[in-house]
């Protein structure tokens, strides 16, 4: 038997399993080495490694993994809960209603490559987050806003004073006979032969083509804002940004009188009907308005105003006399126009209806209607006998600065 066969088999080394942290055992081992001094060289080497930063021994700091795990679990639970709510939400299969719902929630109605089914799922996903009541609330808010907007645009009426009722009755008695005469004249014109009407129209066009500049005159140092011929065609009134109004003779354009009284830009000056024809020189024959809200009345004898009309808080851009000469209408930038009775010497109507300033105002030749145009790009036709807005004029894209009725009474 050989020596190799007699040698015992090497013992199997059992592995040690350490439970918990080895940090305390390492500290204990290092402490024993320092106390015994037998392994000074190894202890010094460990200390040098610690000081050099090559060996790191924890000082008790630890990272709590449970919090992170719990956060992920919480997020997963919330996602499962959201999906459960999404499955319970009923979404319409009508694609137009789905788009309306997305628009109400402030979301894009479609995204690139999205079909109706994907759009429904996106709406369901959004509702699972914000809640199914969000869509109902949004629709209620939209309906409320739309209803309030319609109420703002709705024309409303209230009971006026007795003087307004009397003025409306007077206007009805004044305008109805004039309307009857106008319609009779229109019927008589209709009975005229077509050839005769054509000849008259051609003659009128020929006279218009022969119009030329008869006279020219410098009216003021500042721009001229308005001019108006007198009913007898013998005078011309001009208004200027200098605050002056001037009367000129026609046709030689000589200065007759300078009307001084305004302190700011004058927007318009108009002759009263029958001024210079049947009215006396001392009667009120003109009216003017300015940017400071002042409205002044003038006669043909004095350079100073004979009366002031007060009550406008903002700019009065235009004014117009009623064909009867009894009433004066003013358009104001406070979104309203007003009707003044000069016989009663009071304001009988303060009419609202425009959303922005009212720039111009004109009366129908019969005296039954009034048309207003303003900065809101809309025009309105009012029945002076009832107070109703009988026609709403739309079509302009920008402000309306002027409007007028045709003499035939049908066009404006």
């Amino acid at each position: 038997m050989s020596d190799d066969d007699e040698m015992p088999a090497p013992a199997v080394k059992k592995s040690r399993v350490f439970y918990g942290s080895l940090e305390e055992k390492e500290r204990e081992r290092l402490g024993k080495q320092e106390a015994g001094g037998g392994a000074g060289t190894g202890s010094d080497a460990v200390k040098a490694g610690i000081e050099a930063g090559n060996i790191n021994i924890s000082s008790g700091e630890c990272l709590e993994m449970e919090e992170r795990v719990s956060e992920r679990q919480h997020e997963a639970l919330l996602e499962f809960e959201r999906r459960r709510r999404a499955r319970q939400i009923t979404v319409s299969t009508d694609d137009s209603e789905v788009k309306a719902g997305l628009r109400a929630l402030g979301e894009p109605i479609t995204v690139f490559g999205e079909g109706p089914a994907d759009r429904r799922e996106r709406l369901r996903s959004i509702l699972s987050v914000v809640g199914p009541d969000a869509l109902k609330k949004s629709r209620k808010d939209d309906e409320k806003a739309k209803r309030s907007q319609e109420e703002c645009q709705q024309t409303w009426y209230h009971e006026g004073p007795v003087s307004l009722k009397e003025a409306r009755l007077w206007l009805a008695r004044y305008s109805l006979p004039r309307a009857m005469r106008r319609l009779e004249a229109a019927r008589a014109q209709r009975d005229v032969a077509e050839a005769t009407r054509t000849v008259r129209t051609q003659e009128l066009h020929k006279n218009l083509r022969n119009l030329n500049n008869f006279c020219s005159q410098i009216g003021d140092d500042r721009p001229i804002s308005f001019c108006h011929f007198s009913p007898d065609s013998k005078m011309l009134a001009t208004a200027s940004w200098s605050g002056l109004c001037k009367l000129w003779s026609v046709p030689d354009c000589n200065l007759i009188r300078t009307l001084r009284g305004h302190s700011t830009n004058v927007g318009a000056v108009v002759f009263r009907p029958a001024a210079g024809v049947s009215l006396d020189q001392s009667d009120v024959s003109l009216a003017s308005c300015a940017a400071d809200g002042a409205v002044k009345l003038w006669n043909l004898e004095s350079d100073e105003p004979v009366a002031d009309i007060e009550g406008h808080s903002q700019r009065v851009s235009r004014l117009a006399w009623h064909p009867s000469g009894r009433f004066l209408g003013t358009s104001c930038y406070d979104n309203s126009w007003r009707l003044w009775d000069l016989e009663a010497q009071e304001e009988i109507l303060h009419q609202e209806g425009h959303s922005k300033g009212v720039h111009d105002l004109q009366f129908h030749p019969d005296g039954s209607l009034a048309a207003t145009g303003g900065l809101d790009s809309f025009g309105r036709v009012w029945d002076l006998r009832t107070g109703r807005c009988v026609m709403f004029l739309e079509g302009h894209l920008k402000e309306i600065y002027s409007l007028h009725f045709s003499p035939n009474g049908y066009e404006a």
Side-chain angles (χ1 to χ4, degrees), residues 182-339:
R182 178 175 57 82
L183 294 175
E184 291 176 354
R187 295 189 188 98
Q189 180 67 20
R190 186 185 58 184
D191 296 336
V192 177
E194 181 68 23
T196 304
R197 291 202 300 267
T198 303
V199 170
R200 291 177 181 176
T201 304
Q202 292 176 351
E203 291 179 355
L204 177 61
H205 290 171
K206 182 179 178 180
N207 294 331
L208 292 176
R209 284 194 298 267
N210 294 330
L211 290 177
N212 55 16
N213 185 11
F214 183 80
C215 183
S216 179
Q217 181 64 274
I218 298 177
D220 204 290
D221 296 335
R222 300 294 304 281
I224 301 296
S225 58
F226 198 86
C227 62
H228 191 249
F229 282 100
S230 63
D232 59 0
S233 301
K234 295 181 179 180
M235 290 180 291
L236 175 69
T238 60
S240 171
W241 284 6
S242 64
L244 300 177
C245 298
K246 297 182 180 182
L247 297 180
W248 307 85
S249 62
V250 177
D252 51 4
C253 291
N254 292 326
L255 180 63
I256 299 175
R257 184 173 292 106
T258 300
L259 307 178
R260 307 176 185 273
H262 290 287
S263 58
T264 184
N265 302 355
V266 181
V269 57
V270 292
F271 279 98
R272 186 178 183 182
V277 179
S278 59
L279 295 178
D280 294 335
Q281 296 287 319
S282 59
D283 293 337
V284 174
S285 300
L286 296 103
S288 62
C289 60
D292 58 355
V295 177
K296 298 182 182 296
L297 304 179
W298 314 80
N299 60 20
L300 299 178
E301 291 182 344
S302 174
D303 299 343
E304 301 293 331
V306 296
D308 292 342
I309 296 180
E310 300 178 351
H312 302 92
S313 59
Q314 297 187 31
R315 173 186 175 184
V316 180
S317 55
R318 294 288 186 271
L319 43 75
W321 288 96
H322 188 265
S324 65
R326 174 179 173 177
F327 303 98
L328 179 67
T330 57
S331 57
C332 186
Y333 269 37
D334 62 356
N335 307 351
S336 68
W337 64 276
R338 310 185 188 204
L339 189 65

Side-chain angles (χ1 to χ4, degrees), residues 5-22:
D5 296 336
E6 294 178 356
M7 292 180 61
V12 179
K13 185 177 180 180
K14 297 182 179 180
S15 61
R16 294 186 179 182
V17 180
F18 293 92
Y19 295 94
S21 174
L22 299 177

Side-chain angles (χ1 to χ4, degrees), residues 358-363 370-374 378-381 393 396 400-405 412:
V358 183
H359 191 84
D360 199 9
L361 164 72
Q362 293 295 333
F363 291 104
T372 56
F378 297 116
R380 289 179 178 268
V381 179
L393 309 177
H396 288 279
I400 299 177
Y401 290 113
S402 180
L403 76 166
H404 207 286
F405 281 101

Side-chain angles (χ1 to χ4, degrees), residues 63 139 185 187 226 276 284-285 289 325 347 354 362 390 395 408 410:
L63 179 63
R139 289 176 178 173
R187 295 189 188 98
F226 198 86
V284 174
S285 300
C289 60
E347 175 191 298
H354 288 269
Q362 293 295 333
V390 295
N408 61 16
Y410 290 102

